């Protein structure tokens, strides 16, 4: 049981720490267009990310796929940017009108890329055969899923506070937060090492 908590806690800390700013920015972009009543859609999107993240770690554990770190560092903020821009173009539409296909695909892609970025560390902390890593991987995935649910709940709460106490409209809140995210990730993309080649 103690091993479960070790990997579960690693999954929690992977998302809920000060150094996970890219992941938090992605969750902000993903969450800001939604409110509490959209919890099923948000839970689905969070689970899609976890599936992508776990799939990438699984493929890397078995040596099926490996990606260079500089590409991961470029693709992560790019996916964040795509979701934030999607929010700008779809602001004001109801959640029922929005297609989950594009956001779901980008979420899955972000999960895969993020998982590949974490794969070398994950493989380093776990020795042994690929089969021996399956249980710790599932325990880690549960921690990832739980931490994302906590983060999304916090973002939705913040959204509720700003929309109800400070009288931001849902449209203004989505525009402001998406613009904030774009302002943070654009320099990450521009300063990326990939442009120096």
């Amino acid at each position: 049981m103690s091993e479960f908590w070790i990997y579960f806690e690693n999954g929690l800390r992977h998302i809920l720490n000060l150094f996970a700013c890219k992941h938090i920015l992605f969750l902000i972009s993903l969450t800001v267009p939604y409110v509490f009543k959209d919890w099923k859609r948000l839970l689905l999107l969070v689970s899609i990310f976890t599936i992508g993240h776990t799939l990438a770690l699984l493929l890397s554990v078995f040596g099926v796929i490996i990606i260079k770190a500089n590409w991961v560092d470029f693709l992560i903020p790019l996916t964040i940017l795509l979701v934030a821009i999607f929010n700008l173009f779809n602001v004001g539409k109801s959640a029922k009108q929005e297609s989950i296909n594009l956001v779901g695909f980008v979420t899955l892609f972000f999960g895969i890329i993020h998982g590949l970025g974490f794969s070398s560390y994950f493989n380093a902390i776990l020795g042994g055969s690929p089969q021996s890593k399956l249980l710790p991987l599932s325990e880690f995935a549960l921690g990832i899923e739980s931490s994302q649910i906590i983060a999304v709940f916090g973002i939705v709460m913040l959204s509720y506070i700003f929309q109800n106490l400070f009288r931001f409209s849902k449209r203004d809140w989505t525009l402001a937060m998406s613009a904030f995210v774009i302002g943070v990730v654009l320099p990450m993309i521009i300063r990326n090492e990939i442009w120096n080649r």
Side-chain angles (χ1 to χ4, degrees):
M1 188 64 157
S2 63
E3 279 193 22
F4 168 81
W5 286 111
I6 290 169
Y7 297 112
F8 181 81
E9 187 179 354
N10 272 332
L12 283 174
R13 288 184 181 177
H14 182 60
I15 306 301
L16 298 177
N17 72 61
L18 296 175
F19 302 106
C21 70
K22 290 177 187 172
H23 194 92
I24 298 300
L25 289 169
F26 183 77
L27 288 175
I28 290 170
S29 295
L30 196 64
T31 306
V32 293
Y34 301 105
V35 292
F36 278 113
K37 68 179 179 177
D38 302 317
W39 69 269
K40 289 180 185 176
R41 183 179 290 244
L42 284 168
L43 184 60
L44 175 63
L45 290 171
V46 163
S47 297
I48 288 171
F49 170 87
T50 303
I51 289 167
H53 194 277
T54 306
L55 178 64
L57 285 176
L58 187 65
L59 292 173
S60 75
V61 160
F62 284 96
V64 175
I65 190 167
I66 298 168
I67 189 169
K68 292 183 178 182
N70 61 341
W71 277 101
V72 171
D73 289 339
F74 173 72
L75 292 173
I76 287 175
L78 185 63
T79 54
I80 298 167
L81 179 67
L82 289 175
V83 174
I85 290 172
F86 179 81
N87 290 344
L88 293 179
F89 283 105
N90 288 289
V91 71
K93 294 181 182 177
S94 79
K96 292 177 185 168
Q97 292 174 337
E98 294 174 10
S99 169
I100 198 165
N101 294 337
L102 177 63
V103 177
F105 174 77
V106 172
T107 302
L108 180 67
F109 183 72
F110 181 78
I112 291 169
I113 295 301
H114 194 79
L116 289 173
F118 189 70
S119 63
S120 59
Y121 173 76
F122 188 78
N123 284 319
I125 64 170
L126 288 176
S129 68
Q131 289 79 8
S132 68
K133 297 177 184 179
L134 293 178
L135 183 60
L137 176 59
S138 62
E139 295 162 348
F140 181 76
L142 284 172
I144 293 283
E145 183 78 0
S146 300
S147 62
Q148 289 191 119
I149 290 169
I150 292 166
V152 164
F153 179 76
I155 295 164
V156 171
M157 276 300 288
L158 191 63
S159 175
Y160 178 83
I161 290 168
F162 271 85
Q163 290 179 43
N164 289 291
L165 292 179
F166 299 113
R167 301 292 180 208
F168 273 68
S169 69
K170 182 180 173 188
R171 178 184 180 279
D172 290 347
W173 174 252
T174 303
L175 285 173
M177 292 307 293
S178 297
F180 165 76
V181 169
I182 290 169
V184 173
V185 297
L186 267 179
M188 291 179 191
I189 294 169
I190 292 168
R191 289 191 312 252
N192 191 277
E193 294 175 12
I194 207 161
W195 305 113
N196 296 333
R197 294 184 168 238

